[in-house]
Amino acid sequence: MFPNNRPPFRRLPKIRENVNEAIRVKEVRAVFPDGQVEVMATPAAIRRAQELGLDLILVSPTAEPPVAKAMDYGQWQYEQKKKTHDAKKKQHVIQVKEVKFRPNTDDHDYDFKKNHALRFLKEGNRVKAVVQFRGREIAHVDLGKKLLLRFAEDLKDVGTVEGQPKLEGRNAHIIMSPIKVQAPPAKAKEKPAGAPSPKLDA
């Protein structure tokens, strides 16, 4: 066996970007906890933050000059993670929900699945309605097309059809997208009682 002369592996400390000495710009608009804002040389801003027991963190690197804030680095990390978490919660991922029919689907089963599709569209998701043909049912494609057109008509208030019904193999389908609800127009401010009416120019 050959001796292993390699030095032991050392894990390098993780460099905190845009914090204290890692800030590379010459001067910053420094913001301190007492509300004071001052454009000053970066080293001086770092020293002042450290005198307060805080870190200097570059919060707006693209500003002119860049904005740095004196605060606790751990607190700043917590706030950033919370912002990211809240943004993910608000973000809605549009999914394609599928509902399946047969060309001879009875009214009860049809209404049950239509109500599912109604809920999917109201939640902001797209819906793929599929009619499956088995065996000799493929000879009655027209029944499947009528069912899909009926489905689209019943949900026209909440969804729009993307194209015409399509036949792929032994399945026919349509895809519906939710209708975007527009915000109601802002109401005009009511004129207080007794306020003088505006005069018209002669």
Side-chain angles (χ1 to χ4, degrees):
M1 296 290 292
F2 293 98
N4 185 359
N5 296 324
R6 288 182 298 176
F9 174 76
R10 288 185 178 180
R11 186 179 295 275
L12 297 175
K14 187 176 180 181
I15 299 175
R16 300 186 298 182
E17 297 180 359
N18 294 340
V19 180
N20 296 332
E21 287 76 11
I23 301 175
R24 301 302 181 189
V25 294
K26 293 182 179 179
E27 66 175 16
V28 294
R29 186 182 302 276
V31 181
F32 297 97
D34 59 2
Q36 184 177 359
V37 180
E38 183 179 349
V39 176
M40 58 196 306
T42 301
I46 293 172
R47 285 195 301 270
R48 185 166 175 185
Q50 291 175 343
E51 289 172 358
L52 297 171
L54 302 171
D55 299 292
L56 190 71
I57 303 170
L58 199 62
V59 293
S60 297
T62 58
E64 188 61 40
V67 179
K69 192 172 182 180
M71 63 185 301
D72 179 73
Y73 182 70
Q75 180 187 353
W76 179 79
Q77 276 190 315
Y78 170 78
E79 290 178 357
Q80 294 303 306
K81 288 180 181 178
K82 191 173 184 300
K83 285 180 182 179
T84 303
H85 178 71
D86 292 344
K88 286 182 178 180
K89 284 178 64 177
K90 292 178 182 179
Q91 184 181 15
H92 176 71
V93 179
I94 298 177
Q95 299 178 344
V96 179
K97 303 287 189 176
E98 191 170 277
V99 289
K100 295 180 179 180
F101 301 94
R102 297 286 298 281
N104 57 351
T105 297
D106 60 48
D107 289 341
H108 175 75
D109 191 33
Y110 172 84
D111 289 337
F112 179 77
K113 293 179 178 179
K114 181 190 71 174
N115 290 334
H116 275 297
L118 178 66
R119 176 168 56 85
F120 295 149
L121 288 168
K122 286 184 176 181
E123 290 173 351
N125 295 304
R126 298 164 73 203
V127 171
K128 182 178 182 180
V130 181
V131 178
Q132 297 176 314
F133 301 97
R134 295 180 183 174
R136 296 181 181 180
E137 290 177 349
I138 194 66
H140 302 286
V141 176
D142 56 326
L143 294 179
K145 183 178 179 181
K146 287 181 180 178
L147 189 148
L148 292 175
L149 293 175
R150 173 189 172 190
F151 179 84
E153 177 67 19
D154 289 344
L155 297 177
K156 65 181 181 180
D157 291 336
V158 292
T160 55
V161 180
E162 300 178 9
Q164 295 297 316
K166 295 181 180 179
L167 181 65
E168 294 180 354
R170 303 185 73 85
N171 294 333
H173 74 268
I174 58 171
I175 296 178
M176 297 189 70
S177 297
I179 295 177
K180 293 182 179 179
V181 180
Q182 296 182 351
K187 293 183 178 180
K189 293 183 179 179
E190 295 184 0
K191 186 175 64 175
S197 301
K199 295 182 179 180
L200 298 177
D201 294 333

